[in-house]
């Protein structure tokens, strides 16, 4: 039974899950959130609500394009506004791949297209010592290493001022980070299991020097650890959503006070 099974419907925490691409769907997040007592509301980027009113958390998924590719994805300006709103209101946020890049951009960091940090398939991610005290990553800190599915060529190349780098790798420096008290970005895909790799474009992978069959085989070999670690990470984020009491991170402060680029944030809020 989930932790929310005995709660009235209007008291069950709801998380808005933004799907930026038909091929980058929520995957196993839906079942895991439900198991953790959180209701996921999955909406396409073109269907986003005006505000986060009525939501207790925000998850922004991947998409395969840059976080400011507004011509390609015209809903991005509003998704950036919702991201900033989550920071202002201290609504728990989990940004995945493109979602992490959106978070970094909105908070004053930099994202580089085709940064040279390309990763495909199951990859090793190293947790840093600071992760031990983090509400989402702390439960995994003793393992030291995560095995996560990756699928990106763009990456966060400069973190926002005041952000905490939680995980890294030899290929891509910014693997996981936290902004303020309750906003997390991860370059990897906890929502993706090895079965998703069979849907990847085999010819496109080959052009970049990757063998899809080999990627699938490697992901299947890592599947048990990957699922266990991903499930634990998602459950920990759900705990943050359910708790509403973030004093264990430190005394709540205005998140925007930690940003070096407040003017950039104001421009995003204005839709510029």
């Amino acid at each position: 039974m989930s932790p929310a099974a005995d709660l009235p419907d209007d008291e069950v925490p709801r998380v808005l899950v933004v799907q930026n691409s038909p091929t980058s769907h929520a995957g196993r997040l839906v079942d895991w959130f439900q198991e953790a007592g959180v209701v996921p509301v999955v909406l396409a980027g073109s269907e986003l609500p005006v505000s986060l009113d009525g939501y207790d958390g925000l998850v922004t998924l991947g998409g395969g394009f840059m976080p400011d590719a507004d011509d390609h994805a015209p809903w991005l300006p509003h998704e950036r506004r919702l991201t900033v709103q989550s920071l202002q209101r201290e609504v728990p946020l989990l940004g995945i791949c493109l979602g992490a890049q959106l978070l970094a951009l909105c908070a004053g960091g930099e994202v580089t297209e085709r940064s040279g940090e390309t990763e495909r398939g199951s990859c090793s991610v190293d947790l840093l010592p600071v992760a031990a005290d983090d509400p989402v990553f702390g439960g995994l800190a003793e393992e030291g290493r995560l095995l996560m599915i990756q699928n990106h060529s763009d990456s966060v190349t400069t973190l926002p001022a005041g952000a905490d780098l939680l995980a890294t790798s030899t290929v891509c420096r910014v693997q996981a980070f936290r902004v303020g008290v309750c906003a997390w970005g991860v370059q990897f895909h906890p929502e993706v299991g090895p079965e998703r790799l069979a849907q990847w474009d085999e010819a496109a992978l080959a052009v970049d020097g990757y063998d899809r069959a080999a990627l699938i085989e490697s992901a299947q070999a890592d599947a048990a650890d990957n699922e266990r670690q991903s499930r634990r990470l998602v459950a920990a984020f759900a705990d943050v959503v359910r708790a509403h009491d973030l004093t264990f991170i430190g005394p709540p402060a205005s998140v925007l006070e930690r940003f070096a680029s407040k003017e950039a944030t104001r421009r995003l809020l204005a839709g510029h």
Side-chain angles (χ1 to χ4, degrees), residues 16-176:
L16 174 62
V17 181
V18 182
Q19 182 170 330
N20 287 295
S21 166
T23 58
S24 296
H25 52 82
R28 53 196 185 183
L29 286 186
V30 172
D31 288 341
W32 290 351
F33 274 140
Q34 291 173 341
E35 290 172 8
V38 171
V39 175
V41 180
V42 182
L43 295 177
S46 58
E47 302 171 343
L48 295 180
V50 173
S51 75
L52 294 176
D53 292 352
Y55 292 99
D56 304 286
L58 173 64
V59 175
T60 50
L61 298 174
F65 41 84
M66 287 285 283
D68 57 357
D70 298 356
D71 290 342
H72 176 80
W75 62 85
L76 281 175
H78 185 50
E79 188 172 354
R80 293 196 297 270
R81 285 192 289 272
L82 291 179
T83 296
V84 172
Q85 188 178 104
S86 76
L87 294 170
Q88 292 179 310
R89 296 184 180 185
E90 297 181 358
V91 173
L93 164 66
L94 177 63
I96 296 173
C97 197
L98 168 62
Q101 296 164 11
L102 276 163
L103 171 60
L105 183 67
C106 288
E110 295 181 4
V111 180
T112 301
E113 188 173 14
R114 298 193 176 277
S115 61
E117 297 183 324
T118 299
E119 296 174 290
R120 311 288 184 198
S122 182
C123 302
S124 178
V125 173
D126 297 319
L127 291 173
L128 296 172
V130 68
D133 298 322
D134 183 79
V136 170
F137 286 89
L140 294 164
E142 289 187 0
E143 300 193 33
R145 184 185 72 150
L146 306 179
L147 293 170
M148 292 288 160
I149 301 295
Q150 306 262 15
N151 190 22
H152 71 97
S153 57
D154 312 326
S155 62
V156 177
T157 47
T158 302
L159 280 174
D164 293 311
L165 182 63
L166 303 171
T168 189
S169 76
T170 57
V171 177
C172 179
R173 187 180 75 88
V174 178
Q175 288 286 351

